[in-house]
């Protein structure tokens, strides 16, 4: 099937190597949202993307996977005993650059799929799309265009940072553009920029969100780390991004290689101060500060059984789906804590510690880790979500992901509530106190690198 052709009653994707992929609603124009026709085969024995069983679908993942049909079908059914890629090639960031266009202004159904209650774009769905696009970009960079070699398995290793710079309205067209900005031995960093042009905006003002994803390559036969194609930045900006990513990677290696240091005197005092206030809540609750709350009293939990329909092309649960579910729980936690509608600011570094498989029992546990109240115009709420893969029959539970989301309160909501004030969060145990201090230190370090 030609990538510029499409089955009947489905959107057409005009695709070029480094062009923009338009995203349309998943419903045919001639039908209502409740009468979605089943796509027909376009040619021969090749199945249309919508008929591939078990793959997690959204308007964006459908567009991306349709655009990379040949590559992904090869990944689904690699040649048996095929040799690995013999020679690495050197690519430029522009060769992997890929964009997605959301026609919100003209596509009513697509707009409704992404609309939140406040007429903005649903951030959770956008996190799914960012992960899907980063995956496609990594495939572009690593492909050797040789159907006789076995393809690599490319998985999300971590999310370095996702920062929302301004609100994203659902009524204006949106574009996501990304490319590989750094490559190591078996890993690569992909940077994505979400842009939305409003009247009077210049190019820099149109960037509404930035995201950095780390992908790693595994040999599809052995499962071991596999080398990826080299990267040769060309422009001054590409070279700067490469150097910054290299510095971040070196810092992570030093942190992983170093032993856990003992608390310094100043940190030891902070730990004791945090615990002292928490112990008053536990031992003398009637005398506790009414402007504070125990960390454990801010928690929420959600559980789900991972279904086949949520898996990606490698048979594992789609990483973007996990981020979406974690975000929704974090948003609800911040909402219940503040008593006002929260406003998302950023996702801090996320490590995907272990894969999540179909049939896994996943428990998502959230809490408000700490608040920052020194800026009354933008109080901060840091929410931690920990995903546990639980196996009741084995009496085991392992952490698969830990997410940290930062929220503030919507200005229009705060203006409606006179005397609004967030409460301080205090720990009841030393383990909770250490988690709070580690997160504050990490956020301070991130702020240092940004400035």
């Amino acid at each position: 099937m030609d990538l510029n052709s499409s089955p009947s009653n489905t959107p057409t994707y005009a695709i070029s190597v480094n062009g923009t992929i338009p995203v349309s609603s998943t419903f045919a124009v001639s039908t209502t949202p409740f009468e979605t026709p089943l796509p027909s085969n376009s040619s021969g024995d090749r199945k249309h993307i919508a008929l591939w069983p078990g793959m997690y679908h959204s308007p964006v993942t459908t567009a991306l996977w349709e655009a990379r049909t040949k590559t992904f079908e090869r990944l689904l059914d690699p040649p048996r005993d095929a040799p690995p890629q013999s020679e690495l090639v050197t690519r430029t960031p522009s060769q992997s650059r890929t964009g997605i266009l959301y026609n919100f202004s003209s596509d009513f159904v697509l707009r409704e799929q992404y609309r939140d209650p406040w007429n903005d774009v649903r951030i959770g769905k956008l996190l799914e799309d960012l992960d899907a696009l980063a995956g496609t970009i990594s495939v572009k960079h690593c492909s050797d265009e040789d159907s006789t070699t076995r393809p690599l398995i490319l998985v999300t290793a971590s999310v370095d940072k996702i920062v929302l710079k301004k609100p994203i309205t659902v009524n204006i067209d949106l574009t996501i553009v990304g490319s590989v900005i750094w490559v190591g031995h078996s890993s690569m960093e992909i940077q994505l920029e979400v842009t939305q042009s409003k009247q009077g905006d210049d190019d820099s003002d149109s960037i509404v969100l930035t995201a950095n994803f780390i992908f790693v390559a595994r040999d599809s036969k052995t499962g071991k780390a596999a080398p990826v194609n080299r990267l040769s930045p060309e422009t001054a900006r590409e070279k700067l991004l490469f150097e910054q990513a290299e510095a971040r990677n070196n810092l992570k290696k030093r942190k992983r290689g170093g032993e856990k240091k003992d608390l310094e005197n100043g940190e030891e005092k902070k730990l004791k101060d945090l615990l002292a206030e928490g112990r008053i809540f536990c031992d003398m609750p009637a005398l506790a500060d009414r402007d504070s709350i125990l960390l454990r009293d801010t928690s929420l939990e959600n559980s789900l059984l991972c279904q086949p329909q949520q898996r990606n092309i490698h048979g594992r649960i789609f990483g973007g789906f996990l981020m979406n579910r974690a975000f929704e729980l974090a948003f609800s936690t911040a909402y219940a804590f503040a008593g006002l509608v929260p406003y998302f600011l950023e996702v801090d570094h996320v490590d995907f510690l272990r894969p999540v498989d179909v049939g896994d029992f996943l428990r998502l546990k959230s809490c408000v880790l700490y608040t920052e109240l020194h800026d009354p115009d933008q109080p901060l709420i840091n929410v931690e979500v920990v995903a546990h893969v639980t196996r009741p029959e084995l009496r085991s539970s392992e952490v698969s992901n830990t997410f940290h989301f930062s929220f503030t309160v919507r200005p229009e909501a705060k203006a409606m509530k006179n005397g609004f004030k967030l409460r301080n969060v205090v720990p009841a145990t030393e383990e909770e106190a250490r988690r709070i201090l580690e997160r504050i230190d990490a956020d301070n370090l991130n702020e240092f690198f940004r400035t």
Side-chain angles (χ1 to χ4, degrees), residues 72-89:
F72 281 128
E73 284 186 342
R74 209 176 108 230
L75 287 170
L76 286 169
D77 189 19
R80 291 187 178 183
D81 300 320
Q85 182 176 344
S86 57
E87 294 184 9
L88 298 178
V89 298

PDB file of all heavy atoms in Angstrom, residues 72-89:
ATOM      1  N   PHE A  72       6.920  -0.705  10.946  1.00  0.00           N
ATOM      2  CA  PHE A  72       6.283  -1.350  12.093  1.00  0.00           C
ATOM      3  C   PHE A  72       5.857  -2.777  11.780  1.00  0.00           C
ATOM      4  O   PHE A  72       5.915  -3.643  12.645  1.00  0.00           O
ATOM      5  CB  PHE A  72       5.087  -0.531  12.574  1.00  0.00           C
ATOM      6  CG  PHE A  72       5.467   0.656  13.400  1.00  0.00           C
ATOM      7  CD1 PHE A  72       4.980   1.917  13.097  1.00  0.00           C
ATOM      8  CD2 PHE A  72       6.324   0.529  14.483  1.00  0.00           C
ATOM      9  CE1 PHE A  72       5.335   3.014  13.851  1.00  0.00           C
ATOM     10  CE2 PHE A  72       6.677   1.623  15.242  1.00  0.00           C
ATOM     11  CZ  PHE A  72       6.181   2.866  14.923  1.00  0.00           C
ATOM     12  N   GLU A  73       5.404  -3.031  10.565  1.00  0.00           N
ATOM     13  CA  GLU A  73       5.031  -4.398  10.230  1.00  0.00           C
ATOM     14  C   GLU A  73       6.260  -5.306  10.271  1.00  0.00           C
ATOM     15  O   GLU A  73       6.173  -6.464  10.651  1.00  0.00           O
ATOM     16  CB  GLU A  73       4.371  -4.439   8.847  1.00  0.00           C
ATOM     17  CG  GLU A  73       2.936  -3.933   8.875  1.00  0.00           C
ATOM     18  CD  GLU A  73       2.251  -4.110   7.543  1.00  0.00           C
ATOM     19  OE1 GLU A  73       2.957  -4.295   6.531  1.00  0.00           O
ATOM     20  OE2 GLU A  73       1.018  -4.056   7.522  1.00  0.00           O
ATOM     21  N   ARG A  74       7.421  -4.772   9.900  1.00  0.00           N
ATOM     22  CA  ARG A  74       8.652  -5.541   9.985  1.00  0.00           C
ATOM     23  C   ARG A  74       9.003  -5.828  11.441  1.00  0.00           C
ATOM     24  O   ARG A  74       9.481  -6.886  11.796  1.00  0.00           O
ATOM     25  CB  ARG A  74       9.781  -4.756   9.310  1.00  0.00           C
ATOM     26  CG  ARG A  74      10.852  -5.641   8.722  1.00  0.00           C
ATOM     27  CD  ARG A  74      11.878  -4.798   8.000  1.00  0.00           C
ATOM     28  NE  ARG A  74      13.102  -4.790   8.789  1.00  0.00           N
ATOM     29  CZ  ARG A  74      13.774  -3.709   9.122  1.00  0.00           C
ATOM     30  NH1 ARG A  74      13.340  -2.530   8.772  1.00  0.00           N
ATOM     31  NH2 ARG A  74      14.868  -3.795   9.818  1.00  0.00           N
ATOM     32  N   LEU A  75       8.720  -4.841  12.311  1.00  0.00           N
ATOM     33  CA  LEU A  75       8.980  -5.051  13.725  1.00  0.00           C
ATOM     34  C   LEU A  75       8.056  -6.110  14.307  1.00  0.00           C
ATOM     35  O   LEU A  75       8.439  -6.866  15.195  1.00  0.00           O
ATOM     36  CB  LEU A  75       8.791  -3.736  14.496  1.00  0.00           C
ATOM     37  CG  LEU A  75       9.870  -2.673  14.307  1.00  0.00           C
ATOM     38  CD1 LEU A  75       9.413  -1.370  14.934  1.00  0.00           C
ATOM     39  CD2 LEU A  75      11.172  -3.124  14.919  1.00  0.00           C
ATOM     40  N   LEU A  76       6.817  -6.150  13.797  1.00  0.00           N
ATOM     41  CA  LEU A  76       5.870  -7.133  14.307  1.00  0.00           C
ATOM     42  C   LEU A  76       6.248  -8.552  13.888  1.00  0.00           C
ATOM     43  O   LEU A  76       5.981  -9.507  14.589  1.00  0.00           O
ATOM     44  CB  LEU A  76       4.464  -6.805  13.791  1.00  0.00           C
ATOM     45  CG  LEU A  76       3.779  -5.607  14.450  1.00  0.00           C
ATOM     46  CD1 LEU A  76       2.526  -5.237  13.677  1.00  0.00           C
ATOM     47  CD2 LEU A  76       3.442  -5.906  15.896  1.00  0.00           C
ATOM     48  N   ASP A  77       6.858  -8.688  12.733  1.00  0.00           N
ATOM     49  CA  ASP A  77       7.191 -10.008  12.227  1.00  0.00           C
ATOM     50  C   ASP A  77       8.598  -9.989  11.637  1.00  0.00           C
ATOM     51  O   ASP A  77       8.785 -10.072  10.413  1.00  0.00           O
ATOM     52  CB  ASP A  77       6.178 -10.424  11.154  1.00  0.00           C
ATOM     53  CG  ASP A  77       6.348 -11.884  10.754  1.00  0.00           C
ATOM     54  OD1 ASP A  77       6.971 -12.631  11.529  1.00  0.00           O
ATOM     55  OD2 ASP A  77       5.866 -12.244   9.671  1.00  0.00           O
ATOM     56  N   PRO A  78       9.654  -9.859  12.474  1.00  0.00           N
ATOM     57  CA  PRO A  78      11.019  -9.769  11.940  1.00  0.00           C
ATOM     58  C   PRO A  78      11.448 -11.093  11.332  1.00  0.00           C
ATOM     59  O   PRO A  78      10.962 -12.162  11.715  1.00  0.00           O
ATOM     60  CB  PRO A  78      11.851  -9.451  13.182  1.00  0.00           C
ATOM     61  CG  PRO A  78      11.062 -10.000  14.314  1.00  0.00           C
ATOM     62  CD  PRO A  78       9.626  -9.840  13.937  1.00  0.00           C
ATOM     63  N   PRO A  79      12.388 -11.039  10.370  1.00  0.00           N
ATOM     64  CA  PRO A  79      12.884 -12.286   9.758  1.00  0.00           C
ATOM     65  C   PRO A  79      13.532 -13.182  10.816  1.00  0.00           C
ATOM     66  O   PRO A  79      14.270 -12.704  11.677  1.00  0.00           O
ATOM     67  CB  PRO A  79      13.928 -11.787   8.748  1.00  0.00           C
ATOM     68  CG  PRO A  79      13.611 -10.347   8.530  1.00  0.00           C
ATOM     69  CD  PRO A  79      13.009  -9.849   9.800  1.00  0.00           C
ATOM     70  N   ARG A  80      13.238 -14.461  10.763  1.00  0.00           N
ATOM     71  CA  ARG A  80      13.825 -15.391  11.733  1.00  0.00           C
ATOM     72  C   ARG A  80      15.325 -15.549  11.484  1.00  0.00           C
ATOM     73  O   ARG A  80      15.756 -15.729  10.342  1.00  0.00           O
ATOM     74  CB  ARG A  80      13.139 -16.754  11.631  1.00  0.00           C
ATOM     75  CG  ARG A  80      11.691 -16.728  12.119  1.00  0.00           C
ATOM     76  CD  ARG A  80      11.118 -18.124  12.152  1.00  0.00           C
ATOM     77  NE  ARG A  80       9.750 -18.125  12.649  1.00  0.00           N
ATOM     78  CZ  ARG A  80       9.017 -19.218  12.836  1.00  0.00           C
ATOM     79  NH1 ARG A  80       9.544 -20.403  12.556  1.00  0.00           N
ATOM     80  NH2 ARG A  80       7.787 -19.137  13.286  1.00  0.00           N
ATOM     81  N   ASP A  81      16.069 -15.501  12.567  1.00  0.00           N
ATOM     82  CA  ASP A  81      17.520 -15.685  12.508  1.00  0.00           C
ATOM     83  C   ASP A  81      18.211 -14.691  11.575  1.00  0.00           C
ATOM     84  O   ASP A  81      19.298 -14.956  11.060  1.00  0.00           O
ATOM     85  CB  ASP A  81      17.877 -17.114  12.068  1.00  0.00           C
ATOM     86  CG  ASP A  81      17.320 -18.148  13.038  1.00  0.00           C
ATOM     87  OD1 ASP A  81      17.368 -17.888  14.259  1.00  0.00           O
ATOM     88  OD2 ASP A  81      16.845 -19.193  12.579  1.00  0.00           O
ATOM     89  N   ALA A  82      17.573 -13.548  11.329  1.00  0.00           N
ATOM     90  CA  ALA A  82      18.218 -12.524  10.502  1.00  0.00           C
ATOM     91  C   ALA A  82      19.396 -11.931  11.270  1.00  0.00           C
ATOM     92  O   ALA A  82      19.368 -11.855  12.504  1.00  0.00           O
ATOM     93  CB  ALA A  82      17.222 -11.426  10.144  1.00  0.00           C
ATOM     94  N   PRO A  83      20.437 -11.504  10.581  1.00  0.00           N
ATOM     95  CA  PRO A  83      21.591 -10.923  11.273  1.00  0.00           C
ATOM     96  C   PRO A  83      21.271  -9.527  11.778  1.00  0.00           C
ATOM     97  O   PRO A  83      20.373  -8.855  11.253  1.00  0.00           O
ATOM     98  CB  PRO A  83      22.657 -10.873  10.172  1.00  0.00           C
ATOM     99  CG  PRO A  83      21.871 -10.733   8.907  1.00  0.00           C
ATOM    100  CD  PRO A  83      20.620 -11.538   9.114  1.00  0.00           C
ATOM    101  N   PRO A  84      21.986  -9.046  12.802  1.00  0.00           N
ATOM    102  CA  PRO A  84      21.798  -7.668  13.253  1.00  0.00           C
ATOM    103  C   PRO A  84      22.417  -6.697  12.254  1.00  0.00           C
ATOM    104  O   PRO A  84      23.138  -7.105  11.331  1.00  0.00           O
ATOM    105  CB  PRO A  84      22.549  -7.633  14.592  1.00  0.00           C
ATOM    106  CG  PRO A  84      23.611  -8.680  14.430  1.00  0.00           C
ATOM    107  CD  PRO A  84      23.005  -9.762  13.585  1.00  0.00           C
ATOM    108  N   GLN A  85      22.107  -5.431  12.429  1.00  0.00           N
ATOM    109  CA  GLN A  85      22.691  -4.411  11.559  1.00  0.00           C
ATOM    110  C   GLN A  85      24.217  -4.473  11.661  1.00  0.00           C
ATOM    111  O   GLN A  85      24.779  -4.419  12.753  1.00  0.00           O
ATOM    112  CB  GLN A  85      22.182  -3.027  11.979  1.00  0.00           C
ATOM    113  CG  GLN A  85      22.690  -1.892  11.109  1.00  0.00           C
ATOM    114  CD  GLN A  85      22.076  -0.562  11.521  1.00  0.00           C
ATOM    115  OE1 GLN A  85      21.076  -0.525  12.235  1.00  0.00           O
ATOM    116  NE2 GLN A  85      22.672   0.529  11.080  1.00  0.00           N
ATOM    117  N   SER A  86      24.890  -4.583  10.532  1.00  0.00           N
ATOM    118  CA  SER A  86      26.342  -4.805  10.545  1.00  0.00           C
ATOM    119  C   SER A  86      27.130  -3.509  10.661  1.00  0.00           C
ATOM    120  O   SER A  86      28.164  -3.461  11.317  1.00  0.00           O
ATOM    121  CB  SER A  86      26.768  -5.560   9.285  1.00  0.00           C
ATOM    122  OG  SER A  86      26.380  -4.843   8.124  1.00  0.00           O
ATOM    123  N   GLU A  87      26.652  -2.443  10.043  1.00  0.00           N
ATOM    124  CA  GLU A  87      27.387  -1.186  10.055  1.00  0.00           C
ATOM    125  C   GLU A  87      26.469  -0.049  10.485  1.00  0.00           C
ATOM    126  O   GLU A  87      25.370   0.109   9.958  1.00  0.00           O
ATOM    127  CB  GLU A  87      27.962  -0.880   8.675  1.00  0.00           C
ATOM    128  CG  GLU A  87      29.040  -1.857   8.222  1.00  0.00           C
ATOM    129  CD  GLU A  87      29.639  -1.447   6.894  1.00  0.00           C
ATOM    130  OE1 GLU A  87      29.335  -0.333   6.445  1.00  0.00           O
ATOM    131  OE2 GLU A  87      30.395  -2.240   6.319  1.00  0.00           O
ATOM    132  N   LEU A  88      26.955   0.753  11.440  1.00  0.00           N
ATOM    133  CA  LEU A  88      26.201   1.929  11.864  1.00  0.00           C
ATOM    134  C   LEU A  88      26.394   3.034  10.842  1.00  0.00           C
ATOM    135  O   LEU A  88      27.452   3.161  10.229  1.00  0.00           O
ATOM    136  CB  LEU A  88      26.671   2.399  13.238  1.00  0.00           C
ATOM    137  CG  LEU A  88      26.491   1.407  14.391  1.00  0.00           C
ATOM    138  CD1 LEU A  88      27.051   2.001  15.680  1.00  0.00           C
ATOM    139  CD2 LEU A  88      25.026   1.053  14.575  1.00  0.00           C
ATOM    140  N   VAL A  89      25.358   3.836  10.685  1.00  0.00           N
ATOM    141  CA  VAL A  89      25.443   4.980   9.780  1.00  0.00           C
ATOM    142  C   VAL A  89      25.354   6.256  10.599  1.00  0.00           C
ATOM    143  O   VAL A  89      24.937   6.244  11.763  1.00  0.00           O
ATOM    144  CB  VAL A  89      24.334   4.948   8.712  1.00  0.00           C
ATOM    145  CG1 VAL A  89      24.461   3.707   7.847  1.00  0.00           C
ATOM    146  CG2 VAL A  89      22.958   4.996   9.373  1.00  0.00           C
TER     147      VAL A  89
END
